[in-house]
Amino acid sequence: MTPLLEVNHISYTYSAGTPFAHKALDDVSFQIHPGEFIGVIGHTGSGKSTLMQHLNGLLKPDEGQILLGGQDIWSDKKFTRACRFRVGLVFQYPEYQLFEETVYADIAFGPKNMGLDENEVDRRVREAAGFVGITEQQLKASPFDLSGGQKRRAAIAGIVAMEPELLILDEPTAGLDPRGREEILDNIQAYRQAKNATIMMVTHSMNDVARLADRLLVMSGSRLVLDGTPEEIFVNAQSLVDMGLDVPEVTRVFLALEKMGLKFPGVYTMEQAVRALTQRKGGGGHA
Amino acid sequence: MLKDITLGQYFPGNSVIHRLDPRTKLILLVAYIAALFIASNFLSYALTLGFLVICIAISKIQPKAFFKGLKPLIVLMCFTGIMNLFFTSGETLLVHFWIINIYLEGLVRAIFMILRLLALICATFLLTYTTSPIALTDALESLLRPLGKIGLPVHELAMIMCIALRFIPTLLEETDKIISAQKARGADFETGSLIQRVKALIPILVPLFISAFRRADELATAMECRCYQGGEGRTKMKQLHYAPLDYGAFGVLALLLAATITLTVFGL
Ligand SMILES: Nc1ncnc2c1ncn2[C@@H]1O[C@H](COP(=O)(O)OP(=O)(O)O)[C@@H](O)[C@H]1O
Ligand SMILES: [Mg+2]
């Protein structure tokens, strides 16, 4: 399968040439294939957001290149702008970018910039609103009258409405209450299933990535240090802990069990835990 | 990136200049500017300029920083220079061309004016480069305190200045972020007619204002929670004290002023 997006040895330094220079990305390479759900984890300041802003051409790498469908996204100006629509990036705290008078108009901002006709814009706005559970009533309201979680979902709809080939979400659940978090994650999953979309999500919640992602990228100190399935990554729980990262709660319990002499390899979600335990019980052991 | 603009930027350090009391530096800057305007002949100019160069060397701030700060002011300096060059009349005609007469006196005067401006700006930079904005507002408050007697709300003014300085980098960072977020939605700030470009600013300005007001609100609440109520009876955690170093600096500058006046008066 040809990769959707190819990142080849990119490096990036903020404020280069000043006393405040900071190398935020150091020789990062990976590929994204259609249909994947990639979780990106890493300590605060490890360069996750910087990396995400490279993928849709907001930041230009100092070294290396990024290919979208085989073409360098910086090869010409028009293509760079087109990339912003093909790779949709939902920023951290996206509710702070809302500005229109109605939620409808705000969601329509992206599609309108794409130069679509009115009917198509309308169809996309309604579909995107549907994915994130924004009602007809709310579409007519001012975005500033919505609750925190609703604002966040309206902002996500603004990107979803551009129907990007790759949807990137930078910490979409940061600062929300548990219910708001669940709703957003459910929305993302529903969207993925309906559209067979390719998704990349930055998060601090190991439980969420363990449950949703089928591939994980681990950033540490401006470098991409691990790239693999959640199984491969969480088996190495100790190296994650060394990087100052968490492991899913379930994994922590099973690691403790392992120390006590009970071996259950590759358990990192609640469902897997239940399966592993019932299996052992059914298998005649005394769990 | 917006953040990279030097805006009266402070370069932390530990030189003699850095360690001077901010009030001393403010007073000395005023005295130095006075000396600059008193200076009127070659020797006095050489003395005041040389003094500044030595101060800059002592501060260990890279000359590059000064050049960077001067860049936006080049036009102003050239303008001043050209005005003086063309509109000063004198005795020694250097160039006569159409209606333009350039005299030797004009040339000398233009050079002196440019040097004076240059020294004035660099001296001010030296102050802001070696003094943190907080220390500077503290110094202003302390020096302006006598004006409080005639009803000027000195503490409040200093507090407003301090908060504004504190939030400039935050708001620049925020603006950067909002611009990126709207670009990610295909906002286009670079093409189109003037009206279109002005319109393109709305998606930036609306979120920026909302966030600035939200921050102001939060800050006000936080200050009230800590029972902040203005200047009356308020003491400071960091007290400003003049040290021997400061008296030394005053001495040096008094000498400079005296020397400049002598050189000028006796026309050496
Ligand atoms: N606009 C910027 N200017 C200068 N430095 C920045 C900027 N944005 C981020 N950084 C620095 O780059 C590093 C990586 O930041 P970021 O990509 O936001 O990390 P993460 O998203 O993983 O928390 C941090 O050390 C941060 O301080
Ligand atoms: Mg981040």
Side-chain angles (χ1 to χ4, degrees), chain A residues 105-162:
Chain A
D106 210 287
I107 299 177
F109 182 64
K112 272 200 184 139
N113 284 332
M114 297 171 80
L116 301 170
D117 69 55
E118 208 142 313
N119 288 333
E120 178 65 9
V121 170
D122 186 68
R123 180 189 72 73
R124 290 186 175 205
V125 170
R126 285 177 199 285
E127 193 183 52
F131 279 125
V132 297
I134 298 263
T135 62
E136 191 66 28
Q137 196 89 41
Q138 286 164 342
L139 276 180
K140 289 191 205 114
S142 157
F144 304 108
D145 289 337
L146 302 181
S147 76
Q150 287 166 341
K151 271 188 208 165
R152 176 89 45 105
R153 284 184 281 135
I156 293 176
I159 303 291
V160 167
M162 303 191 312

Side-chain angles (χ1 to χ4, degrees), chain A residues 14-15 22 24 43-50, chain B residues 1 3:
Chain A
Y14 279 111
S15 314
H22 175 88
H43 208 268
T44 303
S46 58
K48 303 181 299 290
S49 300
T50 308
Chain B
M1 222 160 264
K3 255 181 72 178

Side-chain angles (χ1 to χ4, degrees), chain A:
Chain A
M1 202 162 28
T2 53
L4 177 62
L5 194 86
E6 216 174 319
V7 177
N8 291 330
H9 304 285
I10 61 167
S11 299
Y12 184 77
T13 305
Y14 279 111
S15 314
T18 73
F20 309 101
H22 175 88
K23 192 158 196 177
L25 286 181
D26 187 3
D27 194 18
V28 173
S29 302
F30 63 93
Q31 299 182 343
I32 299 173
H33 296 279
E36 280 185 314
F37 192 131
I38 302 178
V40 182
I41 54 181
H43 208 268
T44 303
S46 58
K48 303 181 299 290
S49 300
T50 308
L51 178 59
M52 297 308 122
Q53 287 173 58
H54 277 86
L55 303 186
N56 73 340
L58 281 177
L59 292 176
K60 188 174 183 175
D62 299 332
E63 284 163 48
Q65 48 173 204
I66 297 156
L67 308 179
L68 180 64
Q71 189 179 350
D72 186 340
I73 64 174
W74 287 97
S75 57
D76 94 281
K77 230 176 161 176
K78 274 215 179 94
F79 190 64
T80 311
R81 186 144 189 268
C83 286
R84 310 247 164 96
F85 301 123
R86 291 175 58 183
V87 178
L89 172 58
V90 180
F91 270 72
Q92 209 166 342
Y93 298 109
E95 57 272 29
Y96 294 144
Q97 79 198 20
L98 299 173
F99 71 97
E100 279 283 10
E101 277 167 52
T102 64
V103 175
Y104 183 97
D106 210 287
I107 299 177
F109 182 64
K112 272 200 184 139
N113 284 332
M114 297 171 80
L116 301 170
D117 69 55
E118 208 142 313
N119 288 333
E120 178 65 9
V121 170
D122 186 68
R123 180 189 72 73
R124 290 186 175 205
V125 170
R126 285 177 199 285
E127 193 183 52
F131 279 125
V132 297
I134 298 263
T135 62
E136 191 66 28
Q137 196 89 41
Q138 286 164 342
L139 276 180
K140 289 191 205 114
S142 157
F144 304 108
D145 289 337
L146 302 181
S147 76
Q150 287 166 341
K151 271 188 208 165
R152 176 89 45 105
R153 284 184 281 135
I156 293 176
I159 303 291
V160 167
M162 303 191 312
E163 301 194 342
E165 292 160 48
L166 167 64
L167 176 66
I168 305 177
L169 301 122
D170 194 349
E171 303 195 28
T173 58
L176 292 182
D177 55 65
R179 172 137 170 238
R181 283 208 330 241
E182 273 315 307
E183 279 171 352
I184 291 215
L185 292 178
D186 287 346
N187 293 156
I188 294 170
Q189 229 172 352
Y191 169 72
R192 184 191 188 202
Q193 267 152 18
K195 289 277 182 184
N196 197 18
T198 316
I199 294 179
M200 195 162 189
M201 182 170 89
V202 178
T203 179
H204 281 292
S205 164
M206 296 299 154
N207 296 325
D208 294 347
V209 279
R211 205 181 56 188
L212 296 172
D214 37 43
R215 182 170 153 211
L216 288 186
L217 302 180
V218 183
M219 298 282 302
S220 178
S222 315
R223 300 180 135 264
L224 177 63
V225 287
L226 292 172
D227 177 355
T229 63
E231 225 158 314
E232 288 163 354
I233 306 269
F234 289 133
V235 159
N236 242 327
Q238 193 54 46
S239 67
L240 286 181
V241 175
D242 291 343
M243 273 180 261
L245 292 175
D246 233 350
V247 289
E249 281 155 24
V250 178
T251 308
R252 229 177 307 156
V253 171
F254 278 77
L255 276 179
L257 285 177
E258 200 168 305
K259 281 208 183 104
M260 291 159 63
L262 290 167
K263 237 181 152 29
F264 297 94
V267 174
Y268 49 85
T269 67
M270 203 51 99
E271 287 83 54
Q272 290 169 330
V274 171
R275 215 176 313 131
L277 285 176
T278 43
Q279 218 168 26
R280 181 164 275 246
K281 202 170 171 196
H286 15 252

Side-chain angles (χ1 to χ4, degrees), chain B residues 26-200:
Chain B
L26 259 176
I27 297 169
L28 293 192
L29 177 67
V30 174
Y32 179 75
I33 292 174
L36 266 182
F37 279 88
I38 293 168
S40 62
N41 53 19
F42 180 76
L43 267 182
S44 51
Y45 260 95
L47 184 69
T48 44
L49 290 178
F51 178 75
L52 182 64
V53 170
I54 293 171
C55 286
I56 290 177
I58 293 174
S59 75
K60 294 211 181 73
I61 302 230
Q62 291 184 349
K64 222 170 58 183
F66 290 88
F67 293 134
K68 205 174 157 196
L70 279 171
K71 232 187 262 164
L73 300 165
I74 286 178
V75 178
L76 178 73
M77 283 192 287
C78 288
F79 182 72
T80 315
I82 290 170
M83 292 301 273
N84 277 292
L85 188 62
F86 290 155
F87 295 105
T88 311
S89 53
E91 284 152 15
T92 332
L93 190 64
L94 286 183
V95 181
H96 177 78
F97 169 72
W98 188 38
I99 54 162
I100 297 170
N101 294 312
I102 294 179
Y103 296 92
L104 178 65
E105 287 79 2
L107 184 66
V108 171
R109 204 172 147 151
I111 292 175
F112 274 0
M113 272 319 270
I114 289 182
L115 285 177
R116 184 181 278 175
L117 262 180
L118 203 69
L120 194 144
I121 295 164
C122 285
T124 316
F125 281 161
L126 186 62
L127 173 72
T128 57
Y129 285 173
T130 59
T131 321
S132 76
I134 305 287
L136 214 53
T137 41
D138 261 0
L140 262 184
E141 185 182 351
S142 164
L143 289 175
L144 290 179
R145 192 161 297 143
L147 290 182
K149 294 226 167 60
I150 57 162
L152 193 75
V154 175
H155 172 78
E156 281 73 13
L157 286 177
M159 185 54 115
I160 290 171
M161 208 173 120
C162 192
I163 290 174
L165 284 171
R166 158 66 186 78
F167 277 98
I168 286 173
T170 313
L171 285 180
L172 283 179
E173 203 172 303
E174 190 116 344
T175 313
D176 251 351
K177 234 180 240 163
I178 294 170
I179 291 177
S180 297
Q182 305 299 22
K183 268 192 188 164
R185 299 208 276 168
D188 184 3
F189 310 112
E190 277 127 39
T191 56
S193 66
L194 188 65
I195 293 178
Q196 274 169 329
R197 283 192 211 197
V198 172
K199 265 188 162 169

